[in-house]
Amino acid sequence: MPSNVEIKARVRDMEGLKKVAATLSGSDGELLQQEDTFFYCRNGRLKLRVRKGFPSQLISYDRPDETGPKVSEFYTTEISDPDKLKFMLGRALGLQGTVKKDRWLYIVGQTRVHVDQVHGLGDFMELEVMLKDGQTAKEGLLIAKDLMEKLGVQENDLLDCAYMDLILQQDRK
């Protein structure tokens, strides 16, 4: 089963973070425009990701809601008719909400560095250390912590939840 170690944090200086990520990755990054629709489900999370210029994906994942690096297990499959699937899953499970974002992707070793502008929420970043076969979560945690330091991620900027959770919290206020 695929897994990664990830962190999510608020970003105070988007352009500064993108510059450091570009230096570490040796690239200017790739802009991805994504819309994630979340569905209610009993185990973990389920989202339909529509990506401009790329195939859509259905993603099931499970990770603890805790601050700092955490292990996430996930499964993905490409979807040929996202509108029909969104309708069907919405009817069967119920729609939880939608997250729209502009994401700059940088690859640093085995880590995906995401620098995100989330519509209606603000600026954030994610690290996803893609664990290799036989690699332990502890090894992934060390890689994530090292990158956090290099990118200037502060402990008090770390988040313990998904963007969808932040949107739902915002809507309740």
Side-chain angles (χ1 to χ4, degrees):
M1 115 185 54
S3 60
N4 63 30
V5 172
E6 64 180 69
I7 68 139
K8 189 182 310 265
R10 293 191 183 280
V11 171
R12 298 169 193 239
D13 177 7
M14 175 71 92
E15 292 309 312
L17 180 64
K18 288 190 326 193
K19 285 179 186 172
V20 175
T23 299
L24 292 172
S25 70
S27 77
D28 292 330
E30 178 181 7
L31 175 61
L32 306 172
Q33 295 173 310
Q34 300 175 337
E35 179 178 301
D36 294 340
T37 301
F38 285 79
F39 303 93
Y40 291 103
C41 65
R42 290 200 287 172
N43 300 310
R45 296 176 188 262
L46 182 66
K47 67 183 172 185
L48 175 62
R49 174 167 286 164
V50 176
R51 306 177 299 168
K52 186 175 182 179
F54 295 92
S56 297
Q57 296 176 310
L58 186 63
I59 304 168
S60 169
Y61 67 100
D62 196 10
R63 70 161 186 260
D65 286 334
E66 56 189 38
T67 303
K70 53 198 145 280
V71 175
S72 175
E73 296 176 350
F74 63 94
Y75 299 93
T76 64
T77 188
E78 286 191 7
I79 301 300
S80 61
D81 192 341
D83 291 333
K84 188 178 284 184
L85 184 63
K86 180 178 176 178
F87 174 78
M88 290 176 65
L89 288 175
R91 298 256 315 152
L93 302 173
L95 290 172
Q96 188 177 30
T98 301
V99 175
K100 293 180 183 180
K101 63 185 169 282
D102 295 323
R103 166 171 280 177
W104 285 265
L105 169 64
Y106 304 88
I107 305 294
V108 179
Q110 68 189 78
T111 305
R112 297 170 58 91
V113 178
H114 302 148
V115 182
D116 296 335
Q117 285 185 314
V118 182
H119 300 211
L121 278 183
D123 298 337
F124 299 87
M125 63 85 57
E126 289 183 346
L127 298 179
E128 292 181 350
V129 181
M130 306 305 293
L131 295 176
K132 299 175 182 176
D133 287 341
Q135 191 172 29
T136 67
K138 185 176 181 178
E139 291 171 301
L141 288 169
L142 292 173
I143 293 168
K145 287 184 178 187
D146 179 61
L147 265 176
M148 284 172 55
E149 187 176 314
K150 289 176 180 172
L151 291 166
V153 176
Q154 305 290 321
E155 288 285 330
N156 60 342
D157 289 330
L158 294 175
L159 299 174
D160 63 356
C161 61
Y163 298 144
M164 185 73 254
D165 299 328
L166 294 175
I167 289 172
L168 292 172
Q169 290 170 13
Q170 182 176 279
D171 289 348
R172 284 189 282 254
K173 292 180 181 178

mmCIF file of all heavy atoms in Angstrom, residues 122-163:
data_model
loop_
_atom_site.group_PDB
_atom_site.id
_atom_site.type_symbol
_atom_site.label_atom_id
_atom_site.label_comp_id
_atom_site.label_asym_id
_atom_site.label_seq_id
_atom_site.Cartn_x
_atom_site.Cartn_y
_atom_site.Cartn_z
ATOM 1 N N GLY A 122 -6.228 31.024 1.965
ATOM 2 C CA GLY A 122 -4.921 31.657 2.052
ATOM 3 C C GLY A 122 -3.808 30.773 1.528
ATOM 4 O O GLY A 122 -4.032 29.881 0.708
ATOM 5 N N ASP A 123 -2.597 31.026 2.037
ATOM 6 C CA ASP A 123 -1.385 30.384 1.535
ATOM 7 C C ASP A 123 -0.905 29.310 2.506
ATOM 8 O O ASP A 123 -0.818 29.542 3.719
ATOM 9 C CB ASP A 123 -0.287 31.428 1.343
ATOM 10 C CG ASP A 123 -0.661 32.496 0.322
ATOM 11 O OD1 ASP A 123 -1.524 32.214 -0.537
ATOM 12 O OD2 ASP A 123 -0.086 33.595 0.375
ATOM 13 N N PHE A 124 -0.546 28.162 1.928
ATOM 14 C CA PHE A 124 -0.135 27.010 2.716
ATOM 15 C C PHE A 124 0.953 26.251 1.974
ATOM 16 O O PHE A 124 1.227 26.529 0.808
ATOM 17 C CB PHE A 124 -1.318 26.045 2.929
ATOM 18 C CG PHE A 124 -2.460 26.678 3.658
ATOM 19 C CD1 PHE A 124 -3.446 27.380 2.963
ATOM 20 C CD2 PHE A 124 -2.564 26.577 5.038
ATOM 21 C CE1 PHE A 124 -4.503 27.965 3.636
ATOM 22 C CE2 PHE A 124 -3.612 27.167 5.717
ATOM 23 C CZ PHE A 124 -4.588 27.859 5.014
ATOM 24 N N MET A 125 1.544 25.281 2.656
ATOM 25 C CA MET A 125 2.488 24.377 2.012
ATOM 26 C C MET A 125 2.303 22.991 2.596
ATOM 27 O O MET A 125 1.825 22.834 3.716
ATOM 28 C CB MET A 125 3.928 24.853 2.184
ATOM 29 C CG MET A 125 4.446 24.916 3.612
ATOM 30 S SD MET A 125 5.101 23.380 4.274
ATOM 31 C CE MET A 125 6.346 23.015 3.100
ATOM 32 N N GLU A 126 2.646 22.006 1.776
ATOM 33 C CA GLU A 126 2.626 20.607 2.207
ATOM 34 C C GLU A 126 3.928 19.955 1.778
ATOM 35 O O GLU A 126 4.459 20.267 0.710
ATOM 36 C CB GLU A 126 1.494 19.822 1.533
ATOM 37 C CG GLU A 126 0.118 20.148 1.979
ATOM 38 C CD GLU A 126 -0.925 19.265 1.289
ATOM 39 O OE1 GLU A 126 -0.609 18.593 0.279
ATOM 40 O OE2 GLU A 126 -2.051 19.263 1.771
ATOM 41 N N LEU A 127 4.399 19.066 2.607
ATOM 42 C CA LEU A 127 5.486 18.176 2.222
ATOM 43 C C LEU A 127 4.913 16.775 2.198
ATOM 44 O O LEU A 127 4.201 16.383 3.130
ATOM 45 C CB LEU A 127 6.627 18.211 3.240
ATOM 46 C CG LEU A 127 7.354 19.525 3.462
ATOM 47 C CD1 LEU A 127 8.424 19.336 4.533
ATOM 48 C CD2 LEU A 127 7.977 20.013 2.173
ATOM 49 N N GLU A 128 5.209 16.034 1.158
ATOM 50 C CA GLU A 128 4.835 14.626 1.071
ATOM 51 C C GLU A 128 6.091 13.827 0.753
ATOM 52 O O GLU A 128 6.562 13.823 -0.379
ATOM 53 C CB GLU A 128 3.791 14.382 -0.028
ATOM 54 C CG GLU A 128 2.439 14.968 0.257
ATOM 55 C CD GLU A 128 1.428 14.678 -0.843
ATOM 56 O OE1 GLU A 128 1.817 14.183 -1.930
ATOM 57 O OE2 GLU A 128 0.251 14.968 -0.616
ATOM 58 N N VAL A 129 6.648 13.188 1.776
ATOM 59 C CA VAL A 129 7.809 12.326 1.589
ATOM 60 C C VAL A 129 7.263 10.967 1.156
ATOM 61 O O VAL A 129 6.654 10.255 1.950
ATOM 62 C CB VAL A 129 8.638 12.187 2.889
ATOM 63 C CG1 VAL A 129 9.853 11.303 2.641
ATOM 64 C CG2 VAL A 129 9.047 13.556 3.424
ATOM 65 N N MET A 130 7.458 10.624 -0.103
ATOM 66 C CA MET A 130 6.945 9.366 -0.646
ATOM 67 C C MET A 130 7.860 8.233 -0.188
ATOM 68 O O MET A 130 9.021 8.155 -0.600
ATOM 69 C CB MET A 130 6.890 9.430 -2.177
ATOM 70 C CG MET A 130 6.105 10.627 -2.720
ATOM 71 S SD MET A 130 4.426 10.763 -2.102
ATOM 72 C CE MET A 130 3.699 9.330 -2.854
ATOM 73 N N LEU A 131 7.333 7.389 0.692
ATOM 74 C CA LEU A 131 8.146 6.309 1.249
ATOM 75 C C LEU A 131 8.422 5.238 0.194
ATOM 76 O O LEU A 131 7.526 4.821 -0.537
ATOM 77 C CB LEU A 131 7.459 5.700 2.463
ATOM 78 C CG LEU A 131 7.294 6.640 3.661
ATOM 79 C CD1 LEU A 131 6.516 5.958 4.782
ATOM 80 C CD2 LEU A 131 8.643 7.137 4.159
ATOM 81 N N LYS A 132 9.660 4.818 0.149
ATOM 82 C CA LYS A 132 10.065 3.747 -0.765
ATOM 83 C C LYS A 132 9.786 2.398 -0.111
ATOM 84 O O LYS A 132 9.645 2.312 1.112
ATOM 85 C CB LYS A 132 11.559 3.870 -1.079
ATOM 86 C CG LYS A 132 11.917 5.180 -1.755
ATOM 87 C CD LYS A 132 13.414 5.296 -1.925
ATOM 88 C CE LYS A 132 13.783 6.636 -2.548
ATOM 89 N NZ LYS A 132 15.238 6.818 -2.638
ATOM 90 N N ASP A 133 9.724 1.343 -0.927
ATOM 91 C CA ASP A 133 9.535 -0.003 -0.386
ATOM 92 C C ASP A 133 10.607 -0.292 0.652
ATOM 93 O O ASP A 133 11.803 -0.082 0.391
ATOM 94 C CB ASP A 133 9.603 -1.054 -1.500
ATOM 95 C CG ASP A 133 8.370 -1.047 -2.382
ATOM 96 O OD1 ASP A 133 7.330 -0.513 -1.948
ATOM 97 O OD2 ASP A 133 8.444 -1.577 -3.506
ATOM 98 N N GLY A 134 10.194 -0.739 1.828
ATOM 99 C CA GLY A 134 11.128 -1.069 2.891
ATOM 100 C C GLY A 134 11.584 0.111 3.724
ATOM 101 O O GLY A 134 12.265 -0.062 4.731
ATOM 102 N N GLN A 135 11.238 1.321 3.312
ATOM 103 C CA GLN A 135 11.639 2.498 4.068
ATOM 104 C C GLN A 135 10.676 2.701 5.236
ATOM 105 O O GLN A 135 9.464 2.582 5.085
ATOM 106 C CB GLN A 135 11.650 3.734 3.164
ATOM 107 C CG GLN A 135 12.291 4.939 3.773
ATOM 108 C CD GLN A 135 12.453 6.069 2.765
ATOM 109 O OE1 GLN A 135 11.667 6.190 1.827
ATOM 110 N NE2 GLN A 135 13.479 6.884 2.952
ATOM 111 N N THR A 136 11.213 3.022 6.396
ATOM 112 C CA THR A 136 10.379 3.179 7.586
ATOM 113 C C THR A 136 9.798 4.584 7.680
ATOM 114 O O THR A 136 10.330 5.538 7.091
ATOM 115 C CB THR A 136 11.187 2.905 8.867
ATOM 116 O OG1 THR A 136 12.185 3.931 9.013
ATOM 117 C CG2 THR A 136 11.836 1.534 8.831
ATOM 118 N N ALA A 137 8.721 4.682 8.431
ATOM 119 C CA ALA A 137 8.118 5.990 8.687
ATOM 120 C C ALA A 137 9.110 6.894 9.404
ATOM 121 O O ALA A 137 9.144 8.106 9.159
ATOM 122 C CB ALA A 137 6.838 5.826 9.503
ATOM 123 N N LYS A 138 9.932 6.321 10.268
ATOM 124 C CA LYS A 138 10.933 7.111 11.000
ATOM 125 C C LYS A 138 11.909 7.778 10.032
ATOM 126 O O LYS A 138 12.254 8.949 10.200
ATOM 127 C CB LYS A 138 11.683 6.224 11.992
ATOM 128 C CG LYS A 138 12.645 6.981 12.866
ATOM 129 C CD LYS A 138 13.292 6.074 13.900
ATOM 130 C CE LYS A 138 14.238 6.872 14.783
ATOM 131 N NZ LYS A 138 14.846 6.057 15.819
ATOM 132 N N GLU A 139 12.322 7.044 8.995
ATOM 133 C CA GLU A 139 13.220 7.628 7.987
ATOM 134 C C GLU A 139 12.519 8.772 7.251
ATOM 135 O O GLU A 139 13.117 9.815 6.986
ATOM 136 C CB GLU A 139 13.666 6.553 6.991
ATOM 137 C CG GLU A 139 14.590 5.511 7.593
ATOM 138 C CD GLU A 139 14.845 4.350 6.651
ATOM 139 O OE1 GLU A 139 13.869 3.685 6.245
ATOM 140 O OE2 GLU A 139 16.023 4.107 6.332
ATOM 141 N N GLY A 140 11.241 8.566 6.929
ATOM 142 C CA GLY A 140 10.472 9.624 6.279
ATOM 143 C C GLY A 140 10.323 10.844 7.166
ATOM 144 O O GLY A 140 10.385 11.986 6.688
ATOM 145 N N LEU A 141 10.134 10.632 8.457
ATOM 146 C CA LEU A 141 10.017 11.744 9.414
ATOM 147 C C LEU A 141 11.295 12.570 9.444
ATOM 148 O O LEU A 141 11.244 13.808 9.483
ATOM 149 C CB LEU A 141 9.718 11.216 10.816
ATOM 150 C CG LEU A 141 8.327 10.673 11.059
ATOM 151 C CD1 LEU A 141 8.264 9.952 12.406
ATOM 152 C CD2 LEU A 141 7.295 11.780 11.007
ATOM 153 N N LEU A 142 12.436 11.899 9.412
ATOM 154 C CA LEU A 142 13.716 12.625 9.424
ATOM 155 C C LEU A 142 13.873 13.477 8.172
ATOM 156 O O LEU A 142 14.342 14.622 8.234
ATOM 157 C CB LEU A 142 14.882 11.640 9.557
ATOM 158 C CG LEU A 142 14.993 10.922 10.898
ATOM 159 C CD1 LEU A 142 16.090 9.852 10.852
ATOM 160 C CD2 LEU A 142 15.248 11.916 12.029
ATOM 161 N N ILE A 143 13.463 12.943 7.021
ATOM 162 C CA ILE A 143 13.532 13.704 5.770
ATOM 163 C C ILE A 143 12.604 14.916 5.852
ATOM 164 O O ILE A 143 12.990 16.036 5.479
ATOM 165 C CB ILE A 143 13.168 12.805 4.568
ATOM 166 C CG1 ILE A 143 14.229 11.726 4.372
ATOM 167 C CG2 ILE A 143 12.989 13.633 3.294
ATOM 168 C CD1 ILE A 143 13.833 10.620 3.399
ATOM 169 N N ALA A 144 11.383 14.703 6.355
ATOM 170 C CA ALA A 144 10.417 15.806 6.469
ATOM 171 C C ALA A 144 10.935 16.893 7.403
ATOM 172 O O ALA A 144 10.855 18.087 7.083
ATOM 173 C CB ALA A 144 9.071 15.275 6.963
ATOM 174 N N LYS A 145 11.479 16.512 8.528
ATOM 175 C CA LYS A 145 11.983 17.506 9.492
ATOM 176 C C LYS A 145 13.151 18.288 8.914
ATOM 177 O O LYS A 145 13.269 19.494 9.116
ATOM 178 C CB LYS A 145 12.353 16.824 10.806
ATOM 179 C CG LYS A 145 11.123 16.409 11.590
ATOM 180 C CD LYS A 145 11.464 15.820 12.933
ATOM 181 C CE LYS A 145 10.180 15.472 13.670
ATOM 182 N NZ LYS A 145 10.410 15.049 15.028
ATOM 183 N N ASP A 146 14.026 17.602 8.173
ATOM 184 C CA ASP A 146 15.151 18.284 7.540
ATOM 185 C C ASP A 146 14.649 19.318 6.526
ATOM 186 O O ASP A 146 15.129 20.463 6.503
ATOM 187 C CB ASP A 146 16.064 17.256 6.859
ATOM 188 C CG ASP A 146 17.238 17.910 6.159
ATOM 189 O OD1 ASP A 146 18.041 18.582 6.840
ATOM 190 O OD2 ASP A 146 17.360 17.756 4.918
ATOM 191 N N LEU A 147 13.675 18.937 5.710
ATOM 192 C CA LEU A 147 13.131 19.879 4.719
ATOM 193 C C LEU A 147 12.377 21.022 5.387
ATOM 194 O O LEU A 147 12.436 22.164 4.915
ATOM 195 C CB LEU A 147 12.216 19.151 3.739
ATOM 196 C CG LEU A 147 12.857 18.692 2.451
ATOM 197 C CD1 LEU A 147 11.880 17.906 1.604
ATOM 198 C CD2 LEU A 147 13.425 19.847 1.664
ATOM 199 N N MET A 148 11.660 20.735 6.468
ATOM 200 C CA MET A 148 10.971 21.803 7.201
ATOM 201 C C MET A 148 11.969 22.871 7.613
ATOM 202 O O MET A 148 11.722 24.069 7.437
ATOM 203 C CB MET A 148 10.281 21.247 8.460
ATOM 204 C CG MET A 148 9.016 20.484 8.205
ATOM 205 S SD MET A 148 8.386 19.656 9.702
ATOM 206 C CE MET A 148 8.272 20.998 10.858
ATOM 207 N N GLU A 149 13.107 22.440 8.134
ATOM 208 C CA GLU A 149 14.140 23.380 8.572
ATOM 209 C C GLU A 149 14.681 24.183 7.390
ATOM 210 O O GLU A 149 14.801 25.411 7.450
ATOM 211 C CB GLU A 149 15.268 22.617 9.262
ATOM 212 C CG GLU A 149 16.297 23.518 9.901
ATOM 213 C CD GLU A 149 17.346 22.733 10.659
ATOM 214 O OE1 GLU A 149 16.976 21.817 11.422
ATOM 215 O OE2 GLU A 149 18.551 23.039 10.474
ATOM 216 N N LYS A 150 15.002 23.494 6.291
ATOM 217 C CA LYS A 150 15.550 24.175 5.110
ATOM 218 C C LYS A 150 14.561 25.170 4.519
ATOM 219 O O LYS A 150 14.954 26.208 3.985
ATOM 220 C CB LYS A 150 15.952 23.145 4.050
ATOM 221 C CG LYS A 150 17.173 22.348 4.433
ATOM 222 C CD LYS A 150 17.482 21.276 3.403
ATOM 223 C CE LYS A 150 18.729 20.496 3.814
ATOM 224 N NZ LYS A 150 18.957 19.331 2.948
ATOM 225 N N LEU A 151 13.257 24.850 4.592
ATOM 226 C CA LEU A 151 12.225 25.739 4.035
ATOM 227 C C LEU A 151 11.784 26.812 5.021
ATOM 228 O O LEU A 151 10.983 27.682 4.680
ATOM 229 C CB LEU A 151 11.008 24.906 3.597
ATOM 230 C CG LEU A 151 11.232 24.007 2.388
ATOM 231 C CD1 LEU A 151 10.107 22.995 2.263
ATOM 232 C CD2 LEU A 151 11.366 24.832 1.113
ATOM 233 N N GLY A 152 12.291 26.748 6.249
ATOM 234 C CA GLY A 152 11.944 27.756 7.247
ATOM 235 C C GLY A 152 10.551 27.590 7.834
ATOM 236 O O GLY A 152 9.939 28.573 8.267
ATOM 237 N N VAL A 153 10.048 26.352 7.854
ATOM 238 C CA VAL A 153 8.710 26.102 8.403
ATOM 239 C C VAL A 153 8.803 26.140 9.933
ATOM 240 O O VAL A 153 9.602 25.426 10.533
ATOM 241 C CB VAL A 153 8.166 24.731 7.942
ATOM 242 C CG1 VAL A 153 6.831 24.433 8.583
ATOM 243 C CG2 VAL A 153 8.057 24.703 6.420
ATOM 244 N N GLN A 154 7.986 26.998 10.537
ATOM 245 C CA GLN A 154 7.968 27.154 11.997
ATOM 246 C C GLN A 154 6.984 26.165 12.610
ATOM 247 O O GLN A 154 5.922 25.909 12.038
ATOM 248 C CB GLN A 154 7.527 28.577 12.355
ATOM 249 C CG GLN A 154 8.352 29.673 11.718
ATOM 250 C CD GLN A 154 9.746 29.754 12.303
ATOM 251 O OE1 GLN A 154 9.921 29.597 13.507
ATOM 252 N NE2 GLN A 154 10.732 29.996 11.460
ATOM 253 N N GLU A 155 7.315 25.646 13.783
ATOM 254 C CA GLU A 155 6.427 24.711 14.483
ATOM 255 C C GLU A 155 5.030 25.297 14.685
ATOM 256 O O GLU A 155 4.035 24.602 14.566
ATOM 257 C CB GLU A 155 7.023 24.316 15.841
ATOM 258 C CG GLU A 155 8.222 23.406 15.756
ATOM 259 C CD GLU A 155 7.887 21.972 15.411
ATOM 260 O OE1 GLU A 155 6.794 21.496 15.766
ATOM 261 O OE2 GLU A 155 8.740 21.330 14.769
ATOM 262 N N ASN A 156 4.951 26.599 14.999
ATOM 263 C CA ASN A 156 3.644 27.211 15.279
ATOM 264 C C ASN A 156 2.819 27.462 14.019
ATOM 265 O O ASN A 156 1.673 27.880 14.116
ATOM 266 C CB ASN A 156 3.789 28.490 16.111
ATOM 267 C CG ASN A 156 4.636 29.545 15.415
ATOM 268 O OD1 ASN A 156 5.378 29.248 14.486
ATOM 269 N ND2 ASN A 156 4.543 30.763 15.885
ATOM 270 N N ASP A 157 3.380 27.188 12.836
ATOM 271 C CA ASP A 157 2.624 27.312 11.587
ATOM 272 C C ASP A 157 2.047 25.973 11.132
ATOM 273 O O ASP A 157 1.271 25.913 10.181
ATOM 274 C CB ASP A 157 3.511 27.880 10.470
ATOM 275 C CG ASP A 157 3.835 29.347 10.687
ATOM 276 O OD1 ASP A 157 3.002 30.054 11.289
ATOM 277 O OD2 ASP A 157 4.922 29.777 10.257
ATOM 278 N N LEU A 158 2.437 24.871 11.799
ATOM 279 C CA LEU A 158 1.976 23.542 11.407
ATOM 280 C C LEU A 158 0.480 23.381 11.665
ATOM 281 O O LEU A 158 -0.056 23.936 12.626
ATOM 282 C CB LEU A 158 2.739 22.467 12.176
ATOM 283 C CG LEU A 158 4.227 22.365 11.865
ATOM 284 C CD1 LEU A 158 4.893 21.340 12.778
ATOM 285 C CD2 LEU A 158 4.468 22.017 10.404
ATOM 286 N N LEU A 159 -0.173 22.635 10.786
ATOM 287 C CA LEU A 159 -1.607 22.366 10.892
ATOM 288 C C LEU A 159 -1.838 20.902 11.241
ATOM 289 O O LEU A 159 -1.035 20.043 10.888
ATOM 290 C CB LEU A 159 -2.304 22.685 9.569
ATOM 291 C CG LEU A 159 -2.218 24.125 9.095
ATOM 292 C CD1 LEU A 159 -2.818 24.267 7.709
ATOM 293 C CD2 LEU A 159 -2.908 25.053 10.072
ATOM 294 N N ASP A 160 -2.971 20.646 11.870
ATOM 295 C CA ASP A 160 -3.313 19.275 12.256
ATOM 296 C C ASP A 160 -4.504 18.734 11.481
ATOM 297 O O ASP A 160 -5.073 17.722 11.849
ATOM 298 C CB ASP A 160 -3.586 19.191 13.756
ATOM 299 C CG ASP A 160 -4.786 20.028 14.179
ATOM 300 O OD1 ASP A 160 -5.367 20.734 13.335
ATOM 301 O OD2 ASP A 160 -5.140 19.970 15.367
ATOM 302 N N CYS A 161 -4.900 19.430 10.411
ATOM 303 C CA CYS A 161 -6.095 19.004 9.692
ATOM 304 C C CYS A 161 -5.955 19.314 8.202
ATOM 305 O O CYS A 161 -5.006 19.941 7.777
ATOM 306 C CB CYS A 161 -7.333 19.691 10.276
ATOM 307 S SG CYS A 161 -7.298 21.496 10.163
ATOM 308 N N ALA A 162 -6.952 18.883 7.447
ATOM 309 C CA ALA A 162 -6.976 19.077 5.994
ATOM 310 C C ALA A 162 -7.571 20.447 5.651
ATOM 311 O O ALA A 162 -8.262 21.069 6.466
ATOM 312 C CB ALA A 162 -7.811 17.970 5.344
ATOM 313 N N TYR A 163 -7.322 20.894 4.429
ATOM 314 C CA TYR A 163 -7.921 22.153 3.959
ATOM 315 C C TYR A 163 -9.440 22.106 4.080
ATOM 316 O O TYR A 163 -10.075 23.094 4.440
ATOM 317 C CB TYR A 163 -7.535 22.443 2.503
ATOM 318 C CG TYR A 163 -6.054 22.638 2.262
ATOM 319 C CD1 TYR A 163 -5.476 22.177 1.085
ATOM 320 C CD2 TYR A 163 -5.240 23.284 3.173
ATOM 321 C CE1 TYR A 163 -4.123 22.355 0.838
ATOM 322 C CE2 TYR A 163 -3.888 23.471 2.935
ATOM 323 C CZ TYR A 163 -3.334 23.008 1.761
ATOM 324 O OH TYR A 163 -1.999 23.183 1.512
#
